Amino acid sequence: MRLHKKSTAMDSLTSAIKSNIIPNQEYLLQGSVFDSAVEVLLHRLRGLCDNVDSGPETFHDHEMCFSMRSSVQPMLLRVRRALDYQEMPWQLRYIGQNELGDKSRPTIVRNSIDIGTSSTIVEFLTELGCRMDFEYIVRGYMFRKGRMKITVSKIFKMGQGKPLESVEPMSQSYLVELSVLAPSGQDAIAEDMRSFAEQLRPLVQLEKLDYKRLQHVA
Amino acid sequence: MAFSVNISIEAPIENQIQEITYDGQEIYQNPLSMSESLAKLAQKIDFSKATVEDIKKENGEQPEKGEEDPLLKDPVNYQSSLWPWDTVRNKLRSALTEVCVLADVLSIAKEKRFMVLDPVQQEPVETKPIVQVYARKKALFGAASVLLNGAERLRNTQNEMTRNRSTPDFHIELLRLRQNWRLKKVSNSIIGDLSYRTAGSKYAQTGMFEVTKAEDEPPSSGSPPPSPGAGASAKPSSALRVTVPSELQGVGYIEVLCQKDQEDLCSATINTLGPSPTTANPDVHWQQKLEAAQNVLFCKELFNQLAKEAVQLQAPIPHMVVGNQILATFLPGIQLIIGLCHSAVSDKKPVAAPPQKSEHDHVLEHSLHQLLREVHHKNTHHPFPHPSSGPIGPSKRRCLAGPMAADRYELLEMTKSQTLLEQIIQQAQHFFMRRRTEYVLDTMAKEVKDPLIVSHWNALNSPMQSCVKINIMTHGYDAILRTSLVVQVGEKSLKCVCRDGRVMHMSYEPQELRDLIFCQIYQHQINAVHCLAKCMGWQFLSNSSHLGLGAVEPLGNASSCIFASPIGDRILCWAAAYMCWPELVLQEADATAPRAVPRCLMLSHAAKADSTPGQLRGRPAKSKLAEHHQRQFWYIRLDVMERKNIMNSVCLLMSYLTCGSVLS
């Protein structure tokens, strides 16, 4: 009886993977605005996105990036927790490299796996051999339009001492991200994202960034 | 083919013709050379003239003279051609003379010996104020008249516009329409959407309507106009007309009825189009029309959803969907009927009001609307992920299921949710239970007068639960004892909590509640007599809650208590059973002592045995005891006593017996 149950669980898992319903791709567009222009952008997003009646949802997160330098290519893992909702589970996230598709693709497409964990994940990763590369605090607003998620956030450097107290902003601007988590193969959503980005065009330019160029700059 | 044409440009002849010879040859005057033209210009300067205007005036006159001057002066110049600047020199000289004279005068005046300069009193300009006033008045009149004319003209145009514009401007109306409804332009026409799509509805039927300009059309040849001129001059009340799809026209609503089983289940009268409050009026304002159409769409979606669920759900008694009605049996013999009533505009024949056996329940209809709106709300308002990098969609419980290791059963339970039909059936069940409980309590309160039954319903309650507090008290003796209990009305059951902590669960049968209340009444009587005896000073001797003597009771058991008078010469025994008159038995210690209680009220044991065999509660053991102890006991006829209630009679009796013993 127990064996029978175990096989059905595995069966359902494999069938889920095969039938392509697990959202493991992230489609992403990014941009930024200065602090002085963020109010206008928030106003516009509030009008364009769903649920105008409830105000924009705020979030206050703490993210830590771990890397495991075992093989040639270090594996990067991100652990994120919500500081304003302490009872919600932590998120462990693996983000893959950008898919090198044709240049005409409107958005960045990359592999992304999100897993809910308890707060013991940090200890677990440390035991596995990961080291924490850096951490930061993000604070901002979240919007939603259909399947798309738009975040307008400010990144804060963590000061020495208590993590919540001494935080200073890293820059005088806000990071704007438009992302969708979808199973692989649903490229039509990228078009919708692009047309939505067009609507925000004069206020913020959302485009796909070339990370390789950024690395060279750094 | 393009030819290039040479164009020559020549200046016209400028030079004056001096002489035309006889052979037609023109001799031109030579143009003035540079020095000659300079000399000519210099002659024009008159150094005695100071102001520019004079020079201009001079220049205005000079060109006429200048034409003749060179001609006139030409002979002079020609004569004195050696010195063309002669006039200039003369003019300069005269100017110099004047300036010298002026300098001399100034120096002499400065010395103040021969000439003194004194200011001359200027005569004040005589300006009569009245003249000024008149001048100002005239000027103001002029300005005012201009302004008034302008205002008058504006007012006239405004009045004309409002008079002629009994139909407001199409664009203003369109603006108002746009403020309330979503519109978009598709090629040449304006299409609007009145569905609940953006509010979270997933209903397939579209709610598109078209907006057109309302033209002054002559009335169609359907019905002749009442008067020949009226039809043609009738103007539409608004400049735009909205065309709503035919299946959404008219007025619709969902009718909810709770009623007992009918013999004829196909009560088609309810199925007909109910009387609509607003008759088919083509001139109804577009706002009302659109709102009515939206309501019809909402009702259709609601009914569609309920019908789907009715077919899918498996209830003990299956639900039936007949045409525009859903019949659901939620209690044996009780049906919930949900019907979609839609009165379309095209319905010409007058609709008779269907005979409503029970009235349409507005509260349940409102609940249905609320439930569907809640479904819409859940469709749009998904919870946001915290932290923000998570996926949108899973609820908080679902997010926690992973880390907290929820098992399969928990996950399956999470996916289950109640359908609309189940929820409304629950609400209807509770509603029915509440009504039934109210009915039972009210009828009992009317029937039973001796202890009073007072029920207080909670003002705040939920759609699934209500609460009522019942107080049983005897009039006049409520300070002595009050029995209270709380009944919580659920969907299919009742829960009763007594003061002493007992909890009893009852089903939906009304008889159970009746029985419970009667039991409580009878217990109340016993306890009240007990408390009364304490108050009166009678000694409580014994009691028995469950007497195993006598005939078997239909419900419950008989109970009794025995009291002794303060001095102990009399004993009173109270015996009661459910739904029976209590019996009071009096025993006197001294049979020969004068009786305190009048004879008419007393009935000996033997007499009672003859008279009312039905009510006889034979106590052979006691009578034997009585015989042995030479004591006589008497039944008290409470029904004959004049009193307000039983407590009162017991109280009076006790007081008689006490006084009697005191007096005697």
Side-chain angles (χ1 to χ4, degrees), chain B residues 263-521:
Chain B
E263 267 79 41
D264 48 343
L265 277 175
C266 44
S267 47
T269 46
I270 303 177
N271 201 6
T272 55
L273 318 166
S276 56
T278 59
T279 51
N281 187 8
D283 286 337
V284 77
H285 190 59
W286 44 260
Q287 179 71 9
Q288 285 163 3
K289 217 195 241 183
L290 290 172
E291 277 178 7
Q294 197 175 47
N295 193 31
V296 169
L297 185 63
F298 187 78
C299 290
K300 280 195 157 180
E301 181 183 353
L302 183 56
F303 191 79
N304 192 354
Q305 179 76 13
L306 288 169
K308 263 197 297 201
E309 286 166 9
V311 170
Q312 281 169 0
L313 277 179
Q314 286 163 1
I317 301 173
H319 310 303
M320 285 204 320
V321 181
V322 175
N324 265 2
Q325 273 188 320
I326 299 172
L327 297 147
T329 310
F330 56 89
L331 285 177
I334 317 294
Q335 269 186 340
L336 176 70
I337 299 178
I338 302 173
L340 173 66
C341 297
H342 183 195
S343 67
V345 172
S346 56
D347 206 26
K348 284 281 171 26
K349 47 185 193 275
V351 177
Q356 306 267 349
K357 304 230 169 61
S358 44
E359 65 261 356
H360 157 60
D361 191 358
H362 293 276
V363 176
L364 287 178
E365 185 198 358
H366 178 71
S367 289
L368 273 174
H369 279 247
Q370 266 190 323
L371 286 171
L372 186 62
R373 279 296 303 135
E374 218 180 279
V375 169
H376 287 172
H377 185 86
K378 276 214 190 77
N379 282 345
T380 48
H381 289 75
H382 293 286
F384 278 102
H386 287 276
S388 61
S389 62
I392 297 178
S395 63
K396 183 177 167 183
R397 276 184 75 191
R398 181 73 186 74
C399 284
L400 280 168
M404 295 297 138
D407 56 10
R408 265 185 108 161
Y409 175 74
E410 273 178 54
L411 284 173
L412 280 171
E413 286 294 306
M414 259 188 243
T415 58
K416 287 187 193 155
S417 65
Q418 265 196 327
T419 59
L420 279 185
L421 190 61
E422 279 175 340
Q423 285 178 311
I424 196 65
I425 285 178
Q426 270 185 335
Q427 286 190 18
Q429 277 173 339
H430 171 72
F431 162 73
F432 194 78
M433 283 302 296
R434 201 175 63 224
R435 261 206 336 209
R436 194 178 249 180
T437 311
E438 274 174 15
Y439 177 71
V440 165
L441 289 173
D442 286 345
T443 38
M444 284 192 75
K446 274 188 275 189
E447 271 176 35
V448 179
K449 288 287 195 296
D450 192 341
L452 298 171
I453 303 172
V454 180
S455 49
H456 298 288
W457 286 86
N458 261 12
L460 298 173
N461 48 25
S462 84
M464 312 292 189
Q465 199 181 41
S466 307
C467 211
V468 58
K469 180 156 183 203
I470 303 169
N471 286 334
I472 302 171
M473 63 174 111
T474 312
H475 175 66
Y477 298 90
D478 44 332
I480 292 184
L481 182 70
R482 191 187 289 201
T483 306
S484 25
L485 54 145
V486 167
V487 176
Q488 289 173 1
V489 183
E491 291 150 36
K492 263 189 160 170
S493 60
L494 300 171
K495 178 168 134 179
C496 175
V497 180
C498 301
R499 209 63 192 284
D500 49 6
R502 277 181 297 171
V503 175
M504 288 165 277
H505 294 270
M506 293 170 278
S507 77
Y508 50 80
E509 292 291 338
Q511 191 58 33
E512 292 184 19
L513 183 62
R514 277 181 77 91
D515 291 343
L516 175 78
I517 303 284
F518 276 123
C519 279
Q520 291 290 315
I521 288 171

